[in-house]
Amino acid sequence: MTGPDLELPELTPERQDDIEAALFADIRAEVSRSTKQSQRRRRRAWGYTGAAAAVILVAGFVGPALSGTGASSSAGGSVELYDEGAGGAMAPEANGDLGGDGGGVAEENGSTAATGREVVATSSTVLEAADPASAVGEIGDRADAAGGYVESMNVSAAPPAESSGDVATSFGDGTWITVRVPADTLSDFLADLDDVGEVRSSEISREDVTAQSTDLRARISALQTSVDRLESLISDAATTEDLLTAEEALSQRQAELDSLRAQSDALADDVALSSATITVTEPGEVVAADPQGFGDGFATGWNALVATVNGIVLGLGFLLPWLVVAGIVLAIVQVVRRARRRARVRNGSPEA
């Protein structure tokens, strides 16, 4: 059959419609596939952007929390702060069941001996008074009346304490007094300072020295037994050499015993008499804290921006190890999913 004799099948309108429908179906499938890929890329981009924004937001909250400072207390002890808004009640700051108010603290003072615990209490107070010298004298008189004494004091002219809002700042030099009062009256003594002036801040710290005191008593008892034995040996010494040796050992033991007894007596005195240091200042002018003018507003805004950036950087540093671990887990999941997808495609393809 030659070329001129070749006859093509007749192209009917129905056949043309089928070819056009198949062509347009292929075009639509290609467009749909391209659109889905574009949407998938956009969703992935939005997901990454949202994750980055979430990380920055979390870092902004975590950073200030990590850089914030809190009140701390001495090892083995507790700290109580004077709450001026609660009418002079002593609010516990850390460690120990100190009660919720000044009455709870007083109960602890009175129950120390009953529980067998030996606690050394010290306090630090800032007091505002129009006449600091007169206030110091009255505080000393109150300490004497409570059964204590004035340990040290200093009265000198000093500039008034600077204050901002309700917080006063005291200086190292100026008028202050340190008194010793019976431990069971310390809370009442501090509460009564409101009659002398305005208490700006007050803090009580307590240290449990029961173990230290018990150890000292045990060592004293052991050394006393050794001293008694050496004295017996001296009285029974048969030779001069034995006598000199026993006396030398007795001298060493007696010196150690006297030193331990002095430490024990000093510790017992600290337990029985609490130390209270009161710094007395004159009322100061309250410094306005609000920014005034464009310059102050700009400086305040700049400082806030720097603080926020520092908090975000600190938060990112905190979150970085978690993000690395999360990225590794996500990469492993993606690899497994792709491997499974390839396996399904391979199993579903026809064999050659």
Side-chain angles (χ1 to χ4, degrees):
M1 182 178 292
T2 61
D5 298 333
L6 180 63
E7 294 183 0
L8 297 174
E10 183 180 358
L11 187 62
T12 63
E14 291 79 5
R15 181 59 180 169
Q16 291 179 0
D17 293 340
D18 292 341
I19 293 175
E20 290 179 357
L23 178 61
F24 286 128
D26 291 340
I27 294 175
R28 284 194 299 271
E30 184 65 26
V31 172
S32 177
R33 188 162 45 251
S34 176
T35 302
K36 289 181 179 179
Q37 291 178 354
S38 178
Q39 291 177 350
R40 190 180 298 111
R41 285 194 296 268
R42 284 198 298 269
R43 284 197 299 268
R44 188 180 298 111
W46 280 110
Y48 291 153
T49 303
V55 169
I56 294 176
L57 182 62
V58 172
F61 283 102
V62 173
L66 294 177
S67 59
T69 57
S72 61
S73 59
S74 58
S78 60
V79 176
E80 301 161 0
L81 297 180
Y82 182 89
D83 187 0
E84 186 176 0
M90 305 301 296
E93 173 79 8
N95 292 346
D97 293 333
L98 303 181
D101 53 16
V105 175
E107 289 179 2
E108 180 187 336
N109 292 337
S111 63
T112 299
T115 58
R117 311 303 297 178
E118 299 184 36
V119 178
V120 175
T122 59
S123 70
S124 177
T125 303
V126 177
L127 184 73
E128 261 189 15
D131 187 356
S134 176
V136 164
E138 185 175 351
I139 292 172
D141 294 340
R142 293 187 175 211
D144 293 336
Y149 61 91
V150 176
E151 187 175 48
S152 60
M153 63 181 296
N154 180 71
V155 178
S156 63
E162 295 181 357
S163 61
S164 177
D166 290 336
V167 179
T169 303
S170 61
F171 295 85
D173 297 331
T175 302
W176 52 267
I177 183 172
T178 299
V179 297
R180 303 290 299 274
V181 296
D184 56 351
T185 64
L186 176 61
S187 296
D188 295 336
F189 178 81
L190 295 178
D192 292 341
L193 290 178
D194 285 331
D195 300 334
V196 181
E198 182 179 359
V199 177
R200 303 298 293 177
S201 65
S202 185
E203 177 183 287
I204 298 179
S205 62
R206 303 181 188 277
E207 181 182 4
D208 191 338
V209 296
T210 305
Q212 182 180 354
S213 179
T214 302
D215 178 68
L216 282 175
R217 286 195 293 268
R219 294 168 63 186
I220 290 173
S221 178
L223 278 176
Q224 184 62 58
T225 301
S226 178
V227 167
D228 294 341
R229 187 180 300 111
L230 287 173
E231 289 177 348
S232 177
L233 290 176
I234 290 175
S235 62
D236 297 338
T239 63
T240 303
E241 182 179 359
D242 293 341
L243 179 61
L244 294 177
T245 302
E247 287 181 347
E248 181 179 359
L250 176 61
S251 177
Q252 295 177 355
R253 296 290 191 277
Q254 189 64 49
E256 294 178 7
L257 180 60
D258 293 341
S259 176
L260 291 179
R261 281 176 173 169
Q263 296 178 36
S264 179
D265 292 342
L267 189 61
D269 183 67
D270 290 339
V271 171
L273 295 176
S274 298
S275 176
T277 299
I278 300 96
T279 302
V280 185
T281 62
E282 296 181 5
E285 180 181 359
V286 177
V287 179
D290 296 334
Q292 298 177 357
F294 175 80
D296 290 344
F298 179 80
T300 302
W302 176 258
N303 293 334
L305 175 62
V306 172
T308 302
V309 172
N310 289 338
I312 292 176
V313 171
L314 181 60
L316 288 176
F318 174 79
L319 294 176
L320 183 59
W322 299 87
L323 295 178
V324 171
V325 174
I328 294 174
V329 173
L330 182 60
I332 294 175
V333 172
Q334 290 292 340
V335 170
V336 173
R337 290 181 60 184
R338 291 178 182 175
R340 290 182 176 178
R341 189 181 299 114
R342 293 194 193 99
R344 286 196 299 267
V345 172
R346 190 180 303 110
N347 294 333
S349 61
E351 296 182 359

